[in-house]
Amino acid sequence: MLVRTAVIAALAAGFALAAPARADEALAKKHNCLACHQLDKKSVGPSYKDIAKKYKGQDVAAKLAEKVKKGGAGVWGQVPMAPNPAVPDADIKTLVAWILKM
């Protein structure tokens, strides 16, 4: 009985941890971010995992949020990052945090 309870608790914890990841991926889909970015491979823009790797250990969340909102160019090549002024700031903050955790 104790083992069964431990297994159920472990599964519940795993689902709880996975839920925010799915929710933030859903947010990326909602705002059409995946039209230019993929989780683990380059497409029009860099992959989210490459972004996380490049900025690992740096305090860049505000800088990246501004780039998402206003657009930018030059960091990842010649293709510019399109501005996303219609995306709410709270959603951008959530997306940037999710990307940097990868």
Side-chain angles (χ1 to χ4, degrees):
M1 182 70 167
L2 182 60
V3 172
R4 181 177 174 195
T5 303
V7 169
I8 291 170
L11 287 172
F15 288 132
L17 291 174
R22 284 195 302 271
D24 295 334
E25 185 174 353
L27 195 58
K29 288 177 183 177
K30 173 184 174 185
H31 293 299
N32 207 28
C33 303
L34 299 177
C36 295
H37 299 279
Q38 300 298 313
L39 298 177
D40 59 358
K41 63 183 175 186
K42 183 182 181 334
S43 59
V44 175
S47 74
Y48 290 146
K49 288 187 179 183
D50 285 344
I51 294 168
K53 184 178 176 182
K54 180 179 185 91
Y55 294 110
K56 183 177 182 174
Q58 299 179 45
D59 186 18
V60 295
K63 174 182 159 183
L64 294 179
E66 183 175 342
K67 183 172 278 193
V68 171
K69 191 71 154 184
K70 296 181 179 179
V75 175
W76 294 93
Q78 295 183 12
V79 177
M81 169 79 180
N84 295 279
V87 178
D89 291 343
D91 287 357
I92 291 174
K93 183 177 178 179
T94 299
L95 287 164
V96 168
W98 171 63
I99 293 165
L100 292 174
K101 288 179 188 174
M102 290 189 183

